[in-house]
Amino acid sequence: MIFNSAAKKSSLLRRYNRLLNKYSTYPNELSLAQIAETLACTSRYARSLLNEMQEEGWLAWSSRPGRGALGVLQCRMTTAALETLLAGEYPAAETKNTPATVETRASEDGYRYVISFYRPLLTPVPSVHVDRAGRHVLQMVHDGLMRHLPEQREPVPGLAHTVRVSDDGLCWRFMLRRGLVWHNGEPVAPEQLLAALQRYVGGPGLPHVVSATLRGHVLTLTLRQPDIMLPWRLANPVYALPHPENGSIGLGPFRVTEHTNTRMVLSRAANWYGETPQAAEVTFNTPLNSLPLPFEVHLDTPRSLLTPDAVTCKQSTDAFYYLFFNMLRARLSPEQQKVIRVLTRSISAAFIENEKNAAPLPEWMREEEESYVETPLPATLNLIYFRSPKMTKLVGALEKSLSYRGCRLNVTPVSVTHWLLQDNIWEEQDICFAFMRFGHYPEFSMEERFRHSVIWRWFWGTEQWQRATSTLDKINAGAAAAYHQRIQRLLRFMIHRGLIAPQFLQRYRLMAPTSIEGIHCYSQCWPDFTRLWTDEPDTDEGVATGAS
């Protein structure tokens, strides 16, 4: 469907939000009159709105004949997913005009940096559907109750200056900082932070939280069971706390001051509560001539762009590719699965040998060696995969190998913005090639992916998925010191049972001139912009001053 104006699309999105807030993403048996009441309109107009939303793919609505008959409504996408799919045009909350304020500008004195990236970036609105580059921008623009530091595994207080936990671990009290100011210059009301946080309560992001309440500047989370990983959940940038009426306005150390299809400029925020960054501005550029590789971050100063300097390189291997089968569909016997695992392992070994950005798995993630035994395969198989240049190459190699053995592969690529959607595209798939990025705590990233991704339910079945979720809940309620080992043990069990088959690690690189100091990297080699400074003596290049 084509909208005549952005305003009309925004209006429809607000209507959809009402349905989502009331009925979540589960199937609901409802009458048209009930839906009309939720949408605050007539039944006839409600039917028209449902048709428009269904054409957009936002929901599924199956009506039944008969006056007052119950139909089935299911919202298919979270509002955050729509935000991503609509290229960042609308915030995650219902769009309203934020109050007009006098914006406080930070001093322009400071260093300038340029990052060359291989594609444009979307508006930074917190969402689980944001990719790796977007997530880093989120933690520079937004903030949560807790915050990560690159060199420290445990999160530190963010928008809360102090955290207190009850002896039984079921009550967490967060003392909010005073004097916080949004990037648009509006003073922060504690109720705004509560409203933003309540969107996550009870969902995959905060699975054990049953309520969030506020008294003065003390925000209290009540849990149904202890959760040793709650600080990590609250520090995750996809669960940062944006302005409740405009999800692109944040409380982080940088704010967006320019955003086009080829450029995003982050400028130092005037009222951030932390130490003032030495960087006044960080610009993301998408070059039109030579694009950087997707797994490389190129950080420059204005001087190094004009006069190439000696370069330092930092590396990390904090993501991996893996294969798994649809056990519920069961079109592949154990012997046939083994054939495909052996073939993909051979392809992956070639990648590790020939591609500089592929690295071998650590010992604990490796499968036991399996020998190839010729076994007839089905005439056709359906494969779905996480779309990326390397994954496309990997799938292409497997496609050729299976074709040689008389098996045609029907391939479906899925982009990062669609991967976690509440959709049934997985049901007809036999094989999945997936990609998992590690966050600040690798084992915690595995847990988060499992809780968010619906593919596990489609491939394993509800009973198996619930059993695994129950295991995670027990791990969350256990000792913090044992978390790392228990998650690894769970993954090892999944590998041993053939539920997943890791292939190889993804290597990331940060390339920067040696003059840039204070480089402290988050996962995937993204530098913390708040710590950067430049050692360029006898020159004012790359530093702007407020004097003119």
Side-chain angles (χ1 to χ4, degrees), residues 382-399:
N382 299 331
L383 182 146
I384 192 167
Y385 72 95
F386 185 99
R387 183 188 303 177
S388 71
K390 182 169 292 301
M391 192 74 85
T392 301
K393 203 170 175 182
L394 183 65
V395 170
L398 179 61
E399 194 173 4

Side-chain angles (χ1 to χ4, degrees), residues 420-437:
L420 299 179
L421 294 181
Q422 304 288 330
D423 210 331
N424 63 352
I425 59 173
W426 318 102
E427 187 175 13
E428 299 300 318
Q429 305 301 324
D430 302 301
I431 308 169
C432 177
F433 259 122
F435 176 76
M436 184 181 294
R437 290 180 300 268

Side-chain angles (χ1 to χ4, degrees), residues 191-222:
E191 292 77 12
Q192 292 177 310
L193 300 183
L194 175 66
L197 185 64
Q198 284 177 328
R199 295 177 177 274
Y200 310 135
V201 169
L206 299 176
H208 308 303
V209 178
V210 295
S211 70
T213 57
L214 180 71
R215 185 172 183 179
H217 278 71
V218 179
L219 199 157
T220 302
L221 296 183
T222 304

Side-chain angles (χ1 to χ4, degrees), residues 197-272:
L197 185 64
Q198 284 177 328
R199 295 177 177 274
Y200 310 135
V201 169
L206 299 176
H208 308 303
V209 178
V210 295
S211 70
T213 57
L214 180 71
R215 185 172 183 179
H217 278 71
V218 179
L219 199 157
T220 302
L221 296 183
T222 304
L223 281 62
R224 62 179 174 83
Q225 70 155 66
D227 183 5
I228 56 173
M229 301 311 292
L230 184 61
W232 281 266
R233 302 187 203 281
L234 295 171
N236 189 334
V238 304
Y239 294 116
L241 303 182
H243 194 292
E245 296 176 354
N246 188 331
S248 63
I249 296 175
L251 290 166
F254 291 87
R255 62 190 181 95
V256 179
T257 52
E258 182 183 340
H259 191 196
T260 68
N261 288 337
T262 59
R263 177 180 167 92
M264 176 186 284
V265 179
L266 304 183
S267 299
R268 182 171 53 207
N271 296 300
W272 188 50

